[in-house]
Amino acid sequence: MISTPSLKKIKDGKLVVIHEHKGLTEFQTAISKSVNRLVFAVIIAALSIGSSILVMAKMPPLVNGIPLLGAIGFMLSAVLGFYIVISIFRNDQF
């Protein structure tokens, strides 16, 4: 009843399937970069929100009326933000 060689191999349990991924390494690299940038963005957002809360609460110590920890948080989030923007432009990937 089995007429094709492929079906005969399946019936006999001798069918071998070879599967090869092409371009998987490049895909993994791209995903890794994207995830790293996303993590940086979440950290920057958390720093900005936390710093805003500290500034609004007027938490001491104050420097020229601005809470020191809030100012440090804003500066750190700005530096990280610039780092992400520079890395995106350097790699020419938007």
Side-chain angles (χ1 to χ4, degrees):
M1 184 67 76
I2 298 176
S3 61
T4 63
S6 298
L7 291 176
K8 185 170 179 7
K9 285 183 180 181
I10 291 172
K11 181 182 178 229
D12 296 339
K14 295 180 181 178
L15 181 69
V16 177
V17 177
I18 298 173
H19 183 75
E20 181 181 335
H21 290 285
K22 292 184 179 180
L24 188 61
T25 306
E26 292 85 11
F27 177 70
Q28 286 175 333
T29 303
I31 291 294
S32 177
K33 281 184 181 180
S34 298
V35 168
N36 286 341
R37 288 180 182 161
L38 184 63
V39 167
F40 266 117
V42 169
I43 291 171
I44 290 168
L47 276 171
S48 297
I49 292 169
S51 299
S52 297
I53 292 171
L54 289 174
V55 168
M56 294 301 293
K58 298 286 186 189
M59 183 177 172
L62 300 176
V63 177
N64 292 333
I66 301 171
L68 183 63
L69 289 177
I72 291 172
F74 278 131
M75 284 188 265
L76 187 59
S77 64
V79 168
L80 290 174
F82 285 130
Y83 174 75
I84 288 176
V85 170
I86 290 170
S87 71
I88 289 171
F89 283 124
R90 186 180 305 154
N91 294 330
D92 291 333
Q93 294 177 350
F94 292 88

